[in-house]
Amino acid sequence: MLKHLHIQNYALISHLDIDFNTGFSVLTGETGAGKSIILGALALVLGARADSKSITDGEDKCIIEAEFDEYIIRRELYANGKSRSFVDDCVVTLQELKVLANKLIDIHSQHANLLIENADFQLEVVDAIAQNEAVLNEYSAHFEQYTASVENLRHLQALAKKSQQDADYIQYRFNLLDEANLEPGELEALEQEQYQLSHAEEIRAALVTAVAALSGEQGSAIEALRACRLEDAASELQERIDSARLELQDIAHEAERMAGHIEMDPQRLQWVEDRMAQLNELLHKFSAENIEELITLRDELAEQVNRLDSFDYDIAQAQKAVEAERATLTKCAKALTESRKTVIPQICERLMNGLKRLGVAHAKVEIPITPTEDFTPRGCDEVQILFAANLNQSLRNVSEVASGGEISRLMLCVKALIASTKGLPTIIFDEIDTGVSGDIATQMASIMREMSAHRQIIAITHLPQIAALGENHYKVYKADTATRTETHISRLSDEERITEIASMLSGKNATEASLKTAKELLCYH
């Protein structure tokens, strides 16, 4: 339950602290006193969208803190638009805050009455009464798996279709590269061989000249070094000369061997040049920088060609997965449907009884179930609350036949039903009494007080009949200071309650008659 609320620098509230009790509490106050401001602050601490304009003029930040039985939730909003959320002084994300808040409190504002016209909300009501949370969780898990398997199948089918359309082109490109028998570094080796073949005569002539200079019969370098003999004093230098001579002899032999192997080979030269032309054409055709890129592309194309052959198998496997998930999901959906069908008669009966208690004597309610064409996130059912308020009136959608007051009464009955099965510790009703008065208001208050036997109920009301039935009465009011107007809240004593309810009966200034009626209302309850 909500035990304490602290608000600082929010709208017209500079500082507010208020304790709340168990049971049925009522909040009253003149129009514009600030009831909506307090409710807005509470919504903010529970995860509502933050707006820096809500910060009191001239302040840097506002702080709202709500203390529950086990948690203390705090929201800090800064003038720069940023905000931070805390649970028991630990920073949490806004989503984490909302998840927790939904388990702690339910704020039913006036616009929430429109939910009764929403098909998703109507289905949620049925599931709440049927206590379908576990079945829904199981269904949701399989729905996600089914959706993923359907998406995978569609993806494979799309790939197969596109690949089939591109199959001839893919095969053609692969054949070009595969038939080329590409080898890494081949083009560089061919370029070197082409240079040697096209310059064979010049290379051989240069080698012959080098051999003659090194080891020719007259004036060769080797002969000159052989004839060079130094004295013992220069023995180290002599060793180096001998070593150089031996090295030059080896070079001369290698050059002579190479010269003997170089031959003019026009046919080989033509093949090399043709091969180079073929490789360069492939590089240009495939916009590649080198042979290695062509080899990589060839291998990728080979995978695509092989993939074409495997699509039928992959699609068949994906179809089996979809069928298996569909079978499991169908079973879960049927369990949901049966659970809903079982509880709907009870829901209709309890809603009609509640409406009769609230003055709709001839209320009729039916909730037909219609199967959906396909799976939805909540099963295969659509439900619609059909309503008739008068005798001989046909059942129709709530929004088509119910007045504002009837919708308020129906929504209260729905909330009472949900509260009986859902363990929400706190429910706040913000003027759910719109469109009703007199004895009907008293009955609405009685229902809320009955609900408060097992949870905390707080009602923001403008009706004295409801205010009189509260176990705890809080008044919201505005007071002027030297510089500004501020909103305050206080818990009323027994005497103050009489005055407040009398004012609600007769206007701002209580009369003797209204004071007497107020006492009677309080004593009666």
Side-chain angles (χ1 to χ4, degrees), residues 15-293:
H15 189 279
L16 182 150
D17 278 284
I18 190 71
D19 292 321
F20 290 97
N21 293 334
T22 58
F24 181 34
S25 299
V26 294
L27 267 70
T28 61
E30 295 180 2
T31 300
K35 299 187 295 294
S36 61
I37 293 176
I38 294 174
L39 199 62
L42 184 57
L44 185 66
V45 79
L46 297 174
R49 183 178 178 181
D51 185 351
S52 59
K53 294 179 182 178
S54 300
I55 300 175
T56 302
D57 290 343
E59 301 295 340
D60 295 329
K61 72 173 182 177
C62 75
I63 300 173
I64 301 146
E65 186 173 275
E67 181 181 349
F68 295 88
D69 288 330
E70 296 179 6
Y71 302 98
I72 297 177
I73 299 175
R74 186 172 77 256
R75 188 98 181 268
E76 297 179 356
L77 175 59
Y78 299 86
N80 61 8
K82 295 182 179 180
S83 68
R84 294 199 302 168
S85 304
F86 303 84
V87 174
D88 294 337
D89 284 329
C90 296
V91 177
V92 296
T93 66
L94 195 58
Q95 184 58 37
E96 290 172 332
L97 177 61
K98 289 180 179 179
V99 170
L100 176 61
N102 285 336
K103 298 177 180 179
L104 297 175
I105 192 168
D106 174 27
I107 299 178
H108 180 91
S109 57
Q110 284 178 285
H111 71 271
N113 284 342
L114 298 176
L115 282 174
I116 199 65
E117 305 170 15
N118 182 278
D120 289 338
F121 175 76
Q122 294 176 7
L123 190 59
E124 288 174 11
V125 170
V126 174
D127 284 332
I129 308 304
Q131 300 184 20
N132 278 339
E133 184 176 0
V135 183
L136 268 173
N137 288 339
E138 182 182 3
Y139 175 88
S140 296
H142 288 293
F143 180 76
E144 288 183 9
Q145 295 173 15
Y146 171 73
T147 303
S149 63
V150 169
E151 182 59 33
N152 180 55
L153 175 59
R154 289 173 179 168
H155 177 67
L156 287 173
Q157 290 171 332
L159 281 179
K161 182 178 180 180
K162 186 178 186 305
S163 296
Q164 192 59 46
Q165 292 170 344
D166 299 339
D168 293 341
Y169 182 57
I170 293 172
Q171 189 68 56
Y172 165 73
R173 284 161 60 86
F174 170 73
N175 290 343
L176 280 179
L177 295 175
D178 187 53
E179 292 168 1
N181 296 316
L182 302 170
E183 294 292 340
E186 181 182 6
L187 188 57
E188 292 79 2
L190 288 172
E191 288 172 348
Q192 184 177 358
E193 185 179 0
Q194 190 266 349
Y195 180 84
Q196 292 176 348
L197 289 170
S198 60
H199 297 81
E201 191 60 39
E202 295 94 321
I203 294 172
R204 184 167 60 182
L207 289 171
V208 169
T209 299
V211 171
L214 291 172
S215 61
E217 294 181 357
Q218 296 182 351
S220 68
I222 293 174
E223 286 301 320
L225 289 174
R226 185 180 289 115
C228 180
R229 308 304 301 171
L230 300 177
E231 298 296 332
D232 292 343
S235 60
E236 290 185 4
L237 186 57
Q238 182 65 52
E239 290 178 1
R240 293 175 63 187
I241 291 173
D242 291 341
S243 176
R245 177 173 55 79
L246 293 174
E247 178 66 18
L248 289 175
Q249 283 179 339
D250 187 60
I251 293 173
H253 290 319
E254 181 64 19
E256 187 174 14
R257 185 191 66 77
M258 291 179 64
H261 283 82
I262 292 178
E263 297 179 0
M264 295 294 293
D265 191 346
Q267 291 182 342
R268 176 64 182 177
L269 177 59
Q270 185 62 50
W271 183 90
V272 168
E273 290 178 342
D274 290 345
R275 177 63 172 170
M276 289 175 62
Q278 178 191 12
L279 295 178
N280 282 312
E281 182 181 356
L282 289 173
L283 289 172
H284 176 73
K285 188 177 187 67
F286 291 96
S287 301
E289 294 290 332
N290 49 54
I291 300 299
E292 286 70 23
E293 287 188 16

Side-chain angles (χ1 to χ4, degrees), residues 1-2 20-23 425-427 452 454-458:
M1 60 165 277
L2 177 63
F20 290 97
N21 293 334
T22 58
T426 300
I427 300 177
S452 72
H454 304 288
R455 62 193 46 79
Q456 182 186 44
I457 300 293
I458 301 173

